[in-house]
Amino acid sequence: MSQVIFSARKIQQLKREGIRVDIVQRMAENLMRKMEEEDLSYKECQFVIKILDYTLKIERNM
């Protein structure tokens, strides 16, 4: 399974910005695991990410 690892410096920066790194990391890993379980292609995974990005942009503008 894919795992994103940030440097300690980057993690501290994200935490200062109010990002709960541990929770976000776990959620990303769970999503990646689920996409692997569903055997999604690379293009399908990209589409999932695009949908999430689009949804977040709509929510932010409300």
Side-chain angles (χ1 to χ4, degrees):
M1 177 176 58
S2 300
Q3 185 178 21
V4 177
I5 300 173
F6 292 108
S7 68
R9 184 176 180 183
K10 182 66 176 177
I11 289 172
Q12 290 306 317
Q13 175 191 354
L14 292 169
K15 285 182 178 181
R16 281 193 301 273
E17 294 173 10
I19 305 296
R20 295 177 293 169
V21 178
D22 53 338
I23 295 170
V24 173
Q25 178 85 20
R26 188 172 59 247
M27 292 182 83
E29 289 172 359
N30 288 340
L31 178 58
M32 288 297 298
R33 185 178 310 112
K34 184 65 176 169
M35 289 191 295
E36 288 174 0
E37 288 172 4
E38 296 294 330
D39 198 29
L40 295 184
S41 69
Y42 179 76
K43 282 192 166 255
E44 290 169 325
C45 290
Q46 282 184 315
F47 191 61
V48 168
I49 293 167
K50 284 181 183 180
I51 290 170
L52 290 171
D53 186 50
Y54 179 74
T55 305
L56 285 172
K57 286 177 183 174
I58 290 172
E59 290 291 321
R60 182 177 51 188
N61 292 328
M62 292 184 122

